[in-house]
Amino acid sequence: MRTQVAIIGAGPSGLLLGQLLHKAGIDNIVIERQSGDYVLSRIRAGILEQITVDLLAEAGVGERVKAEGTVHHSIELVFANTRHPIDVHGLTGGKVVTAYGQTEVTRDLMDARSAAGLTTIYSAGNVTVNDFDTDHPVVRYEKDGQTHEVLCDFIAGCDGFHGVCRASVPEGAITEYEKVYPFGWLGVLADVPPVSTHAIVYANSERGFGLCSMRSLTRSRYYVQC
Ligand SMILES: Cc1cc2nc3c(=O)[nH]c(=O)nc-3n(C[C@H](O)[C@H](O)[C@H](O)COP(=O)(O)OP(=O)(O)OC[C@H]3O[C@@H](n4cnc5c(N)ncnc54)[C@H](O)[C@@H]3O)c2cc1C
């Protein structure tokens, strides 16, 4: 196969990049190691900042998030046992926070991709990125017992921190900035209505941080510091 941009990874970044390139008239193929169903069932994020919602609209996939996302005009900070509402909308000239599951974002992008007839290869095994610093990069992968090749002008590594692209970059070519915190979060996803549907609650207490977030009006996402 031949394409202008071979995108590795069909998470939100790979699919969104594919959509933006397509809108700009640039041909692309997405290559993903998992199945489409697996990607769609992988529960992760759920809170979208304004910049993300705007970008989805620009990419032509903003209709459902606008119709079905739960809009928050404020957030709440809690400390010393007192709730402090912060008027995000008023203080930022109209920006809001939108609760809309990452799986829904992925579904919208997948639907747009198939409606546009763009190629996505799921369940691609042993993906390798080759000659990416030359004029003729090649992506190879295995599927149905055969090795396939995608010739391209550019390879876009959208396969996350543990993916093959980052690991293929020569040592020293990436500058890393990292801060390690001495604690972690326990996250609980529960099919119960959220504590607060109008704002996400960020709470500080003597026993550490707690977050009351949500995925929808019937599904809650809670975090406690450990
Ligand atoms: C529990 C949790 C909660 C989160 N909550 C929020 C939130 O509320 N708001 C927010 O903005 N963000 C949140 N995030 C972060 C958000 O989920 C990530 O930023 C987002 O998934 C990154 O998207 P991505 O497309 O870059 O990577 P990914 O979603 O990781 O996608 C990478 C894709 O590449 C594929 N891949 C990996 N290796 C290979 C390979 N070798 N070959 C081919 N394909 C490969 C993977 O299967 C995957 O589909 C959360 C993350 C987690 C884990």
Side-chain angles (χ1 to χ4, degrees), residues 94-180:
K95 291 181 184 168
V96 295
V97 178
T98 304
Y100 188 69
Q102 181 168 325
T103 45
E104 302 307 315
V105 174
T106 311
R107 184 182 295 282
D108 293 345
L109 287 163
M110 278 181 172
D111 288 350
R113 221 176 146 76
S114 53
L118 302 176
T119 306
T120 311
I121 295 148
Y122 286 102
S123 307
N126 279 333
V127 176
T128 60
V129 293
N130 309 274
D131 305 327
F132 50 82
D133 48 358
T134 71
D135 291 340
H136 47 272
V138 185
V139 177
R140 294 197 183 89
Y141 64 92
E142 290 169 13
K143 189 157 178 171
D144 303 327
Q146 282 190 318
T147 301
H148 302 261
E149 271 190 358
V150 181
L151 312 181
C152 56
D153 299 326
F154 294 97
I155 297 172
C158 299
D159 51 346
F161 188 85
H162 301 289
V164 65
C165 292
R166 186 187 174 87
S168 304
V169 176
E171 215 170 300
I174 295 179
T175 307
E176 295 190 14
Y177 300 91
E178 188 178 35
K179 176 165 173 59
V180 179

Side-chain angles (χ1 to χ4, degrees), residues 53-68:
V53 175
D54 291 346
L55 189 59
L56 290 171
E58 191 186 317
V61 289
E63 258 174 51
R64 209 159 64 90
V65 61
K66 201 168 168 214
E68 296 178 22

Side-chain angles (χ1 to χ4, degrees), residues 8-14 31-34 38-39 42-49 102 124 127 158-165 213 215 221 223:
I8 316 294
S13 51
I31 301 147
E32 163 65 49
R33 79 170 162 195
Q34 304 287 0
Y38 181 94
V39 172
R42 195 170 45 195
I43 302 276
R44 281 185 175 170
I47 298 301
L48 301 177
E49 301 295 338
Q102 181 168 325
V127 176
C158 299
D159 51 346
F161 188 85
H162 301 289
V164 65
C165 292
S213 184
R215 291 290 175 268
R221 183 64 147 164
Y223 294 91

